[in-house]
Amino acid sequence: MGEPSKAVLITGCSSGIGRAIAERLASGGHRVYATARRPESIADLKEKGCEMLPLDVLDDESMRAAVAHVEEAEGAVGVLVNNAGYGQSGAIEAVPIDAVRRNFETNVFGYLRMAQLVLPGMRRQGWGRIVNMSSVAGRVTMPGSGPYSATKFAIEALSDALRFEVKGFGVRVSIVEPGPIRTHFTATANAGIPDADGAYTDYHAAVARADAEADQSKLLAGDPEDVAKTVEQAITARNPRTRYRVTVPARLLPTMRRVLSDRAFDAFLRTQAPPPGAR
Ligand code: NAP
């Protein structure tokens, strides 16, 4: 057999982290298939050296077609970067159940299905890399981020299972856990916070404010390029790490969560957003 395909397929390249990964990898000489559910949103990536494909992770046919296209052209998807996702914020009682289902469909089932589709090709060629964009929210649940955090905790579990199951086929799985990164993410999450009929109004306002403030912080937040650099490390390392953390909160919060008791950690959370209710 010849050299394995190292072609990279990235989901969610219209903006933010996915776009930065596509640009960085293409400029570094990687063969990049940038994808988005709105193809017009990535038209300019052609000039930057990317191939472009439509891909909506809520649409099985579009996922199949994108993978089939790369396999036809390259033999296999060599590297999958599962990135497309968004945050459904809001108090558990207040968030519409269909909104939570949709967040899981996108963030969890989208990642899982893409892995299922690329793995036969990776196994055939005995080489592959899968990078799953998780979050510090996959390790620690911050105020108002229950539904989103649940999706990212699920991604951590799926990735742990997958890493164990596919290593023997030459496929390596890494998880990237960014903290706050300045993208459209917070605006989308804040726009999706449900109306709360009084009981959670102040809580939701505090959550939206805290998340927006974190993005502004020079100390706490990073840029999409920081994540792109990390993804490049993960896919080019001979022996990639299991987890990569980007930004100070992504390194600090999981450690705090581990060493503090549940009660002590809740006391810390109260400093981030006053909890709803009087008691
Ligand atoms: P972003 O700028 O809002 O980008 C999200 C991307 O996901 C967009 O390209 C969006 O496409 C795409 N997407 C959403 N639903 C999709 C679907 N059904 N099919 C295909 N693409 C879809 O936010 P971002 O920060 O770059 O987020 C990228 C990833 O990083 C997400 O998984 C997020 O959870 C993770 N992350 C972000 C942060 C942060 O603070 N920014 C921190 C940790 C982890 P449209 O433009 O069409 O909506």
Side-chain angles (χ1 to χ4, degrees):
M1 207 180 359
E3 278 290 295
S5 158
K6 297 199 170 171
V8 185
L9 187 156
I10 309 162
T11 63
C13 295
S14 71
S15 64
I17 293 171
R19 170 171 282 265
I21 297 168
E23 290 179 357
R24 181 175 181 104
L25 296 184
S27 76
H30 296 267
R31 184 121 180 91
V32 175
Y33 287 81
T35 74
R37 57 181 165 176
R38 294 173 296 115
E40 71 280 8
S41 65
I42 50 172
D44 61 305
L45 288 175
K46 179 123 195 110
E47 288 152 29
K48 304 198 169 158
C50 299
E51 300 294 324
M52 279 116 42
L53 291 172
L55 196 162
D56 182 338
V57 300
L58 296 176
D59 174 357
D60 203 70
E61 194 38 53
S62 101
M63 292 190 266
R64 280 173 189 276
V67 172
H69 181 104
V70 181
E71 290 185 340
E72 179 81 29
E74 312 283 344
V77 173
V79 178
L80 168 66
V81 182
N82 268 325
N83 165 76
Y86 68 97
Q88 175 61 57
S89 292
I92 299 294
E93 183 187 343
V95 72
I97 193 72
D98 284 344
V100 182
R101 287 206 170 97
R102 192 178 168 84
N103 209 191
F104 270 83
E105 278 295 339
T106 307
N107 294 11
V108 181
F109 299 126
Y111 279 32
L112 190 157
R113 186 64 183 137
M114 285 303 298
Q116 289 180 334
L117 289 169
V118 300
L119 274 164
M122 290 179 174
R123 285 193 293 103
R124 262 194 309 275
Q125 66 172 9
W127 191 92
R129 294 283 164 95
I130 296 177
V131 176
N132 284 338
M133 195 57 62
S134 179
S135 169
V136 64
R139 311 298 302 277
V140 173
T141 311
M142 296 301 284
S145 75
Y148 172 64
S149 248
T151 71
K152 293 295 182 181
F153 270 68
I155 287 167
E156 297 275 332
L158 287 173
S159 307
D160 282 340
L162 195 59
R163 186 178 67 251
F164 184 75
E165 289 165 0
V166 298
K167 187 167 180 217
F169 299 115
V171 181
R172 306 294 295 267
V173 179
S174 293
I175 302 168
V176 177
E177 297 170 343
I181 303 293
R182 298 176 200 96
T183 67
H184 295 163
F185 180 87
T186 300
T188 306
N190 286 350
I193 293 180
D195 291 336
D197 233 13
Y200 296 100
T201 309
D202 292 347
Y203 179 59
H204 283 171
V207 164
R209 206 168 37 244
D211 287 350
E213 277 170 14
D215 278 8
Q216 300 303 317
S217 163
K218 278 207 165 63
L219 176 70
L220 300 179
D223 290 309
E225 291 72 26
D226 302 329
V227 186
K229 190 171 162 196
T230 301
V231 170
E232 187 170 34
Q233 282 166 6
I235 68 172
T236 54
R238 251 168 58 87
N239 196 11
R241 277 161 37 194
T242 303
R243 286 181 168 78
Y244 293 84
R245 301 186 172 113
V246 188
T247 74
V248 172
R251 285 187 279 273
L252 209 58
L253 285 169
T255 306
M256 282 175 66
R257 186 69 193 88
R258 203 172 52 244
V259 300
L260 294 178
S261 67
D262 289 343
R263 282 191 184 171
F265 195 74
D266 285 354
F268 160 71
L269 293 183
R270 283 195 286 278
T271 68
Q272 305 300 298
R279 276 180 276 264

